[in-house]
Amino acid sequence: MMRTRPLKVALLGCGVVGSEVARIMTTHADDLAARIGAPVELAGVAVRRPDRARGGVPAELITTDATALVKRGDIDVVVEVIGGIEPARSLITTAFEHGASVVSANKALLAQDGASLYAAAEEHGQDLYYEAAVAGAIPLIRPLRESLAGDKINRVMGIVNGTTNFILDKMDSTGAGYQEALDEATALGYAEADPTADVEGFDAAAKAAILAGIAFHTRVRLDDVYREGMTEVTAADFASAKQMGCTIKLLAICERAADGESVTARVHPAMIPLSHPLASVREAYNAVFVEAEAAGRLMFYGPGAGGSPTASAVLGDLVAVCRNRLNEATGPGESAYTRLPVSPMGDVVTRYHISLDVADKPGVLAQVATVFAEHGVSIDTVRQQGKDGEASLVVVTHRAPDAALSGTVEALRKLDTVRGVASIMRVEGE
């Protein structure tokens, strides 16, 4: 039997995502009520600019006092889509203190301060749901937190930023340079006017921290994630990748160590074989590849950003939280019982693709090979081309600790016969 008294929802932010949340709540009100078991009512919308037109949102619901809105006491669920650290953090904790559960899309805040938010939610007996914080509409957080809760996840590797995937896909498919591909992404609305958070990997790193924490039941903060951007990737790198039967993606990679005693989380460009499922992810789409002990290999794929896809994830969480509210229950909270340390990037075992500009004369290859041997790095393949006294030498290594590979590169730079290191890229997805 459906409850007639509505569950009241406060919306913090009414931009691209927030306006879609409000629209869907209105146009799908009957369906949402049927799925939840009670009607849901948009009780207030906090914005910074009240004079901006917001179609479909009654003017009487608009307020600039977000703190007063979450303190009302009659609010059941607060939906936070304003982003950033403050005032989002204070508003979320205030919502918990005044008896409201929270649905958030705030990846930066969750990656930086998720533990304290979980603690505040638990202290006040409220829910904290955040499916929309990672990979937009793709159901990912809930499968990791619930569907795979009985399994042991060993690796999560994915494309979690649509802007960077669009740029790299264009570079791969058309031969465009980085700036040309970025300009196209900006013109189409995939890239912000300031794309730094995307192209330098900050956005993906926040998502990697969230995924690693859930997958490995340990606390991983943004500062624990190794990060490299993709602004230095060139058309020449793609040409080298194609010669190896690979393409290049900006990957978020979270791994459990072979001995199970630590975890790593990293974001960087990498070559992956064309045979790997992630290699075929095109345009601004996202995909996450999960390797679990019992379930095996799983892939989650779909649009990773945008108003409607992200709003879909927010509304899915809203339905779940409202159902919990009616049942006087809460969903899963933080699971950090393993307390595994996060190892530095230097401990990560990986492969390198290294392109060197060298003198075209006898003995160069032997010198280079000696440097690799001295650092305990085994060479998989070597390709050399020379002309007019100059040559390019491409070396692909076997797997070795990243620190050893970095030390190898530094030693190579000191050789008189090495004119320069043209490019260095990790190779993943074996």
Side-chain angles (χ1 to χ4, degrees), residues 3 5-11 25 38-44 69 72-79 99-101 318 321-322 325-326:
R3 193 182 82 165
R5 184 171 65 83
L7 293 160
K8 294 189 177 183
V9 178
L11 179 61
M25 285 186 64
V40 287
E41 174 188 315
L42 189 58
L69 178 60
R72 274 177 38 173
D74 64 334
I75 300 297
D76 293 287
V77 184
V78 170
V79 174
S101 289
L318 179 63
V321 170
C322 286
R325 196 116 178 139
L326 290 180

Side-chain angles (χ1 to χ4, degrees), residues 95-394:
F96 291 144
E97 291 166 0
H98 287 79
S101 289
V102 172
V103 172
S104 176
N106 197 331
K107 54 188 172 288
L109 177 57
L110 288 159
Q112 179 173 305
D113 212 16
S116 66
L117 296 181
Y118 268 125
E122 183 177 3
E123 178 184 355
H124 297 286
Q126 304 300 328
D127 271 325
L128 173 63
Y129 275 53
Y130 48 89
E131 184 68 65
V134 181
I138 303 171
L140 181 60
I141 300 299
R142 194 170 291 116
L144 291 177
R145 287 215 294 181
E146 300 177 29
S147 303
L148 295 173
D151 208 339
K152 180 181 180 182
I153 297 173
N154 292 317
R155 197 171 200 239
V156 178
M157 180 171 77
I159 298 162
V160 294
N161 183 277
T163 300
T164 54
N165 198 57
F166 180 89
I167 293 169
L168 292 172
D169 181 47
K170 289 302 175 184
M171 293 177 70
D172 185 26
S173 61
T174 70
Y178 166 75
Q179 189 60 51
E180 184 182 352
L182 173 59
D183 290 344
E184 183 176 354
T186 303
L188 292 172
Y190 291 128
E192 300 287 345
D194 179 2
T196 302
D198 295 324
V199 300
E200 294 295 350
F202 291 101
D203 176 84
K207 295 168 182 176
I210 295 170
L211 292 175
I214 296 170
F216 306 132
H217 302 278
T218 196
R219 287 180 179 171
V220 180
R221 299 181 73 252
L222 181 58
D223 292 345
D224 296 322
V225 181
Y226 173 84
R227 177 193 55 80
E228 282 182 27
M230 42 77 71
T231 57
E232 300 301 318
V233 176
T234 66
D237 291 325
F238 275 101
S240 294
K242 286 180 179 179
Q243 290 180 336
M244 291 178 58
C246 292
T247 188
I248 299 171
K249 299 292 186 181
L250 184 74
L251 298 177
I253 304 171
C254 312
E255 291 181 303
R256 189 189 300 269
D259 62 6
E261 296 302 313
S262 64
V263 299
T264 59
R266 50 195 165 105
V267 169
H268 54 73
M271 295 182 179
I272 58 172
L274 294 175
S275 58
H276 194 282
L278 291 176
S280 61
V281 178
R282 307 293 302 276
E283 298 284 331
Y285 276 75
N286 284 192
V288 177
F289 198 71
V290 178
E291 298 179 26
E293 203 163 85
R297 296 181 172 185
L298 310 169
M299 192 163 102
F300 301 84
Y301 168 84
S308 294
T310 306
S312 172
V314 169
L315 268 295
D317 278 350
L318 179 63
V319 169
V321 170
C322 286
R323 286 172 176 170
N324 290 343
R325 196 116 178 139
L326 290 180
N327 293 323
E328 299 183 347
T330 55
E334 182 185 30
S335 177
Y337 70 92
T338 63
R339 295 183 174 85
L340 294 174
V342 182
S343 296
M345 186 64 191
D347 292 347
V348 172
V349 177
T350 186
R351 298 174 67 201
Y352 264 29
H353 174 283
I354 305 170
S355 181
L356 305 171
D357 294 327
V358 300
D360 187 14
K361 62 182 183 180
V364 172
L365 181 56
Q367 287 184 331
V368 169
T370 297
V371 170
F372 278 89
E374 288 174 346
H375 287 81
V377 178
S378 176
I379 294 175
D380 182 13
T381 62
V382 177
R383 187 175 69 255
Q384 184 174 7
Q385 293 177 325
K387 184 179 180 181
D388 299 329
E390 298 295 328
S392 64
L393 189 66
V394 176

Side-chain angles (χ1 to χ4, degrees), residues 44-59:
V45 181
V47 300
R48 287 187 298 173
R49 301 180 182 88
D51 54 341
R52 179 177 294 179
R54 292 177 173 84
V57 179

